[in-house]
Every structure is written in structure tokens, then in C-alpha cells.
Amino acid sequence: MLLTSRGRRIGGRVAVGLVSTVVLGVTGYAWAQLSRLDEGIVTADVIAPTAQVPDGPAGEPLKVAQNILLVGIDSRTDAYGNPLPQNVLDALHAGAGDAGGDTTDTMIVVHIPAGGAAATAISIPRDSYVDIAGGLGKHKINSAYSRGKNAAMNSLRAQGLTGAQLEVKANEAGAKLTIQTIEQFTGLSINHYAAVNLAGFAALSEAVGGVEVCLKEPVQDKFSGASFPAGKQLLSGAQALAFVRQRHGLPSDLDRIARQQAFLSSMAKTMLDAGTFTDPTRLSSLVGAIQGSVVLDRGWDVVSFAQQLRGMSSGALKFQTIPVQSLSLPTPSDGDAVKVDPAEVRAFVKTALTSTTVAAVGEPTGGIGIKPVAATSSVSAPPSSSATPPPADALPGCVN
């Protein structure tokens, strides 16, 4: 995702792709649809052999704990390396086709312990100032993708690659450097990778019939296209993208993370509790959206993986955010960044992933004042005409 003034930061798109993929296995029809993913899913050779885990028996609980890196790429190309049409970019308020910076605006590590009945998702602020892998020095962590991609371009061109083929192979290099940087920073070994772009997020949110969110106050942001009243509302497509993409008018990027987490937890509830898998049309649309928008690491058998997570419920997803020390660290060449202490982050991650308690979504997370209360409860019945509805900022599940 992108670092331009036109709205860089598309939060949560990739995690939506993973949540969608992970929870497809509820009915026999769902499995038939899920098998279609193998026919058209885009894959990338980005996971080191030492981090690869063997597939477990289909239908049995997950045998080995796994870490999945979810990233949202502010790319103006599709998963196949082809440029997105300008009319699509216009509809998404994404600017011109050359406006993307190929940075990872959303980075979430999802840890699934053995058994597969729970998950912990740890958000990493995109502006965290860290050592980039490969000896590239200290920079914002979201630049690892573009740095790896750009470094590979010349050698790939020398091999005769052009057009979409060049784009796909260069994206692989960007993903590899991002994974290495995340591993170096958190101390975790990344076993799987999933990425989604601008148009993909909009398509996924539409495929599930929209996601319920709640805002404390109304918002208007011409850069992202966000225009929403306060209170609960159902968002999909370009509206959903605007909700997680907005950066202007928020106190800090940590508030954007709170939005991402609220959106994803609501998405999980929609997928797990709302009958998505018994609706043939919706399920078919969802599989089609995943095929056209999500890039997975090569060798990841998502059908088997999803079967191993059949015991997961919407309440077994806990969101955390790494601790940060400052939101305005001056840097020599990258502007203000987020100050983080790698040792503190590693200790935090270790504690978060060894806890035996799976908190319900919506509990306070780590970091500076983030309390992303997720909108996971069912939609309440509308109040009677004689009742006075509570203010939006008093409703559970509302975020900035």
C-alpha cells in the first residue's frame, strides 16, 4: 500500500482475504467451492524452505503452530501483474495508475496455535522504524517491499522479463524482503504469506454481502472517499475500502489500526455466523473474489488448511498491536516515523503468543491507547419511535 498523499494505507484488505479463505469450510458445498481456489489462485515463491511446514491430514486439527503474514499492497496492478483500469482506480479513489508506491500499508502476523481453534493477530504500524533485512539500513518497515522489488528490477530486466511477468517476479522479491524484515524484527518464523491489493479488498467485502462497522462520529474525507454518518452501518466495495483507508482526520495511524481490527473482527463474525456458506451465490462470489485478488505463498494447501481450522469461532480471534514508544520519531531521510524497541517488541510477541487465554475481540490491545472495540455483536433491532437511541460513542463496537 502506498505512501502518497492521496491515501496510502489501505488497512485490513489482506486479512479479509485470509479470514475469507480460512472459514470457508462449514458445509459440503463450501468444500466443493473451496476446491476451485486451486484452479485460479495466484502463488509466489516467497517462503524459505526452513520455514515451510508440512500439510497435516485433511479434516484433522492443526498439528503445528503457524505464523501467517498478511499484507495489503498499495499496488495499481492486479494479482497477475496487469495494470488496474483507470475507471476502477477512480471508483476506489486510488488516484492515477502510477500513484502507487508498492509499500505494505497493512502488516498483520496471525499466529494459529496447534489445534487451530484460536488465533492471535498482531498488527505492526507501517511507519515503525526498523532495520530492513539485507543490510539496507534503518527505514520505515512498510518500505521493505518496495526496496526489495526495486532492487530486483534491473536483474529481472536483464533476464528479458517485461510487462506483467516482470511485475509478478519483482513483487516476489519485495515479499521476500518484507518477510525477512518482519522475522528479524519480531523474532518469529513466517510460515505462510497472503497479500491483496486495492481492488481485491473491495471485491472481497462485496462478496460477503458487506461488513457491519460503527463510527463514534461522522466522517468526511475527500482523499479516501470516506463519507459516513455516526453509528452502525453496513459497508462493502469502495465504501469498505474508504473506511479502512482513511488517514486524514484521524488522531494517529494507531486509530487506523483500530479500524482495521474492528473491520476484521466484524468480517470474521459475518463469515462464521451469518450463513455465508449456505448461500450458493454468495459463496461462489467469495471464491471468485479470492481467486482474483489474493496472492498466497507457493505450496500452501489452503483447502487442507481451512479444514484444519473448522473449530475456529468468531470469538476466538484476539487482536494485539505491538508496543510503540513514540509516534513522531525524526529520521534522517524518511520523515517522522514510529519509534519502536525491537527487544520490547520481541518480548511482547512472545508473551502474546504463549498466553493460554484467548480474549474476545474488542478487549484493549497493546500499544499507545488503542482499544479497538470490534463490532462483533449482532445488529440490534431498531429502536421504537418513542425511544431515544444512545449516542454513537456510547455504543459497543464504535471506533474513531
Side-chain angles (χ1 to χ4, degrees), residues 213-225:
V213 301
C214 182
L215 284 171
K216 293 180 179 179
E217 299 176 353
V219 298
Q220 291 286 337
D221 175 34
K222 65 179 181 180
F223 296 99
S224 66

Side-chain angles (χ1 to χ4, degrees), residues 309-352:
L309 299 182
R310 293 183 74 170
M312 185 178 290
S313 67
S314 61
L317 180 60
K318 177 176 66 174
F319 285 94
Q320 303 272 9
T321 304
I322 64 167
V324 305
Q325 298 183 332
S326 171
L327 299 176
S328 56
L329 173 70
T331 68
S333 59
D334 297 331
D336 281 353
V338 173
K339 183 180 181 181
V340 290
D341 180 349
E344 182 183 13
V345 168
R346 287 189 174 210
F348 170 84
V349 169
K350 183 177 181 180
T351 299

Side-chain angles (χ1 to χ4, degrees), residues 2 7 18 22 66 92 98 108 122 127 172 179 196 205 207 222 227 243 252 286 309 343 362 373 396:
L2 164 82
L18 179 74
V22 160
Q66 298 182 25
L92 299 176
D98 59 355
I108 301 175
I122 300 178
D127 286 347
E172 256 186 25
I179 291 169
V196 71
S205 61
K222 65 179 181 180
S227 178
F243 176 81
S252 76
L286 178 59
L309 299 182
V373 183

Side-chain angles (χ1 to χ4, degrees), residues 134-343:
L136 296 182
K138 273 203 163 188
H139 298 284
K140 294 178 180 179
I141 197 168
N142 70 338
S143 71
Y145 192 96
S146 58
R147 292 177 190 277
K149 178 177 180 176
N150 293 337
M153 278 291 191
N154 288 338
S155 62
L156 292 172
R157 288 192 180 100
Q159 297 172 30
L161 273 63
T162 59
Q165 188 180 23
L166 172 64
E167 186 74 14
V168 168
K169 293 301 292 184
N171 284 337
E172 256 186 25
K176 285 181 179 179
L177 190 63
T178 297
I179 291 169
Q180 293 165 7
T181 300
I182 294 287
E183 290 181 327
Q184 179 178 285
F185 178 53
T186 64
L188 296 173
S189 177
I190 300 300
N191 311 114
H192 287 301
Y193 169 85
V196 71
N197 64 12
L198 292 173
F201 176 75
L204 287 166
S205 61
E206 283 185 342
V208 299
V211 176
E212 181 190 283
V213 301
C214 182
L215 284 171
K216 293 180 179 179
E217 299 176 353
V219 298
Q220 291 286 337
D221 175 34
K222 65 179 181 180
F223 296 99
S224 66
S227 178
F228 309 117
K232 291 183 178 181
Q233 49 217 290
L234 192 70
L235 303 181
S236 65
Q239 288 185 320
L241 182 62
F243 176 81
V244 295
R245 189 184 187 195
Q246 182 187 354
R247 71 183 184 90
H248 296 276
L250 295 180
S252 76
D253 281 341
L254 297 185
D255 293 281
R256 184 181 298 107
I257 287 178
R259 278 199 186 184
Q260 296 171 11
Q261 294 174 342
F263 189 94
L264 293 176
S265 56
S266 184
M267 176 73 162
K269 181 172 180 63
T270 298
M271 297 296 300
L272 292 163
D273 300 343
T276 298
F277 311 111
T278 59
D279 183 333
T281 300
R282 182 176 295 182
L283 186 56
S284 181
S285 297
L286 178 59
V287 171
I290 293 172
Q291 285 180 323
S293 61
V294 178
V295 177
L296 303 178
D297 64 273
R298 191 164 300 157
W300 189 2
D301 185 344
V302 292
V303 175
S304 175
F305 184 77
Q307 285 177 313
Q308 293 172 314
L309 299 182
R310 293 183 74 170
M312 185 178 290
S313 67
S314 61
L317 180 60
K318 177 176 66 174
F319 285 94
Q320 303 272 9
T321 304
I322 64 167
V324 305
Q325 298 183 332
S326 171
L327 299 176
S328 56
L329 173 70
T331 68
S333 59
D334 297 331
D336 281 353
V338 173
K339 183 180 181 181
V340 290
D341 180 349

